Amino acid sequence: MKIVAPAGNMERFHAAIKAGATEIYMGLKGFGARRNAQNFTLEEYKEALDYAHKRGVRVFLTLNTIMSEKEMEFLYPNLKALYEHGLDAVIVQDLGYFRFMKENFPDMEYHGSTQMTIGNHYEAEYLRKIGFSRVVLPREMTFEEIKKIRENTKIELEIFVSGALCICYSGNCYMSSFIGSRSGNRGMCAQPCRKMYENENGEKGYLLSPKDQLYGYEEIQKLKAIGIESIKVEGRMKDPNYVFETVSYYKNLIDEKNIEERTSEIFNRGYSKGYFYGNDKNIMNKNYSFNLGKNIGRITGKYLKLTDKVVLGDGIIYLSPTYEKLGGGYINKIDINGKRDNKFANPGDTILLKDVPRGSKYVFKSYSKEVNDDVENRIKKENHYKNIDGYFKGKIGEVPKLTLKCQGATGEIYVTEVGENPVEKASKKALTHEEIKDKISQLGDTTFILNSFDSDIDENIFLPVSVLKNLKRECAKKLEDKLVESYRRKAPEKHIFPKEGETTREVEISAIVSNKGQEKVLRDFGIKRIYYKGIDIARENQLNEQDLNSKLASNLYQLLENNNNDVVVNWNLNITNRYTIDELYKTGKVETVIISPEISFDAIREIGKVKARKAILGYSTLKGMHIELSIFNKDKEIIKNNEGDIFTAVKTLNGNTEIYLERPLNILNDIWKLSNLMIDEVVLEFNLETPEQVSEVLENMKRRTGIYRAYNYERGVY
């Protein structure tokens, strides 16, 4: 089982490899689902590829965002350069961009991002059949679901084991996008889930903020036992010490060394096992949403009874009863029960603290000197080596030959170095196999480590040690060069996707409803195309909840297994370009697609002619989140953020939570002008509305008196 580690910059990249990661995921500046990370320039990326390949490590480019056709064209030269330099794989969200890349770089490896929300084996197998080699499953999957998916698909599976949890399904969170145009599907999420909210009763807290995830020994052994190919560590924006320590921890667990985790000593806003054992409210941390470190006790006056060890140089912060930061500093003196000048104190000890801020209740250790010092020392010492095999031939009267070989990009590669002078007969001490192996294994500053060694030598031979060393040095250098060169490849000629002109046509009105009361009002108004709202995610253990007779597909499973051949693909499949539409059309089930409301009118117009009918949302109380938990006790909870935005959180029939924006999207005043977008259908989506409210929307549409609110249609997204 491999470890896929994050690299937000070169320092984190080196830390991940030194810790033992064999696969690295990293972004190119300006692209991917962590655009705020430092990321890599093209030249830095090439440098990183060579560094990794010399050590037997693979590198994956993160392009896991929704794309426009223009962006695909803009990215092509950079992707071509990386492909030719030896890029190992691309992690992708957008089906259209996958198709664009697959046609242009057919022998590249493609991984389905967790942003695709592939929650069952039907969807996983679909990706495999169209050319994906791996899929990263959503963090919301339980172990039993992961196991069942593993049993029913041949595609490689990658599982998140540590790091930040999105409270909403990745790829189906739109809060940041609709509030402020910063789309999580575009790598620019403003993390509204980490903000303070207030409910109807005036209670405040981080109501949408989950703890981070951290699997332990038992979870890793379970994943290993069922044949999971890779486990993923999150953290492209965390520091190198975090990356090194977390990767090291999981390398030990994979090797069945049940060691204690220390990740929580470096970054900590609370940890849980996520959804591994099922939906657990322990996932949430409503007290704070940021890295505070470890709670080491409650303070009484100036005295702190410790629940964790402290040493001189540890950093601490003081918190109020509501976890407000009141101050902090470093421990430069430890007094235990009147005994001064201690170097450390253990759990259970009571220590005296000076200059305690008024109102302090909790003390958190925000910096662990012991752990960070140890990690920094190990980063300096550790290295990652690639296994090579050696063979030496030494026959009296013949020149010596050394062959070194290893696994390259497409198979085994080897180099043979030949000495200048023949091997002589020893006049005194003869050279042995063990002595030759010892000298060849001293690979010094190379990136290699000798795995196996064989020799074919005459008895009683003599060869100067300097000759052996020179053979080894030259052979290793040439092997390293040949290894890097083995990753180089030539891109085929660019594939052109023909684009046809598009014409305007009459726009039809349709609707998505949540209940029969809404449907009746719409039918009385004369609207004939009416679809019932579905479930965004098709989880492996809940497939029986999916309505396969519905002509509206809100997930890939509902499309692939649908009993109809004229299906409408819902907007939450994040469709933003013609390639995605055409890829979905190949399923043979698609009649209409609802284009993502995250993109602008101009971007919709640019999609052009496709094989399916095109639709857009004309009205909707937009859904910002679909959460795999029952967050609130009440069936309906009104919450607001510090900026005054109001949301309605609704408990669904299957126990999940959906969060809707207060102010609806509404472009119906100009509905008859929308034909210039080259669309066929305008969809009215009703979620929380009463029949009376539905009737009001329809009357306003007829009179052109509704409140016009276009959201991202006019402003676009970053």
Side-chain angles (χ1 to χ4, degrees), residues 126-142:
Y126 164 72
L127 291 191
R128 184 186 69 81
K129 288 174 181 176
I130 65 172
F132 283 81
S133 61
R134 182 184 296 186
V135 62
V136 188
L137 293 181
R139 295 166 176 85
E140 289 82 359
M141 296 290 98
T142 66

Side-chain angles (χ1 to χ4, degrees), residues 540-669:
E540 182 69 38
N541 285 350
Q542 298 171 355
L543 295 181
N544 61 334
E545 296 178 354
Q546 300 290 325
D547 182 1
L548 300 181
N549 291 315
S550 171
K551 290 191 177 184
L552 179 70
S554 296
N555 53 68
L556 269 176
Y557 170 76
Q558 201 176 15
L559 169 62
L560 298 170
E561 299 299 310
N562 207 288
N563 295 323
N564 301 289
N565 292 320
D566 53 351
V567 177
V568 179
V569 179
N570 210 350
W571 63 267
N572 65 297
L573 269 76
N574 303 321
I575 298 165
T576 60
N577 57 72
R578 65 184 172 114
Y579 304 143
T580 301
I581 298 172
D582 287 343
E583 190 65 25
L584 291 172
Y585 190 80
K586 292 176 186 176
T587 63
K589 306 267 183 144
V590 175
E591 180 204 56
T592 305
V593 297
I594 305 175
I595 296 166
S596 170
E598 288 203 84
I599 64 172
S600 68
F601 286 140
D602 287 341
I604 293 169
R605 194 177 292 110
E606 288 169 3
I607 288 175
K609 189 173 181 61
V610 291
K611 295 173 182 175
R613 296 173 74 251
K614 292 180 289 185
I616 65 169
L617 283 184
Y619 172 90
S620 175
T621 45
L622 292 165
K623 179 162 55 181
M625 290 186 177
H626 175 88
I627 300 170
E628 194 63 44
L629 283 175
S630 179
I631 295 284
F632 303 102
N633 294 325
K634 296 194 297 185
D635 289 341
K636 186 181 289 187
E637 183 85 56
I638 306 298
I639 60 174
K640 66 178 180 180
N641 61 21
N642 288 338
E643 287 73 35
D645 299 307
I646 296 174
F647 309 91
T648 302
V650 179
K651 188 184 296 185
T652 66
L653 292 176
N654 59 359
N656 296 338
T657 302
E658 294 178 339
I659 297 182
Y660 295 92
L661 278 69
E662 177 195 31
R663 296 177 295 177
L665 165 78
N666 191 340
I667 57 171
L668 300 180
N669 292 355

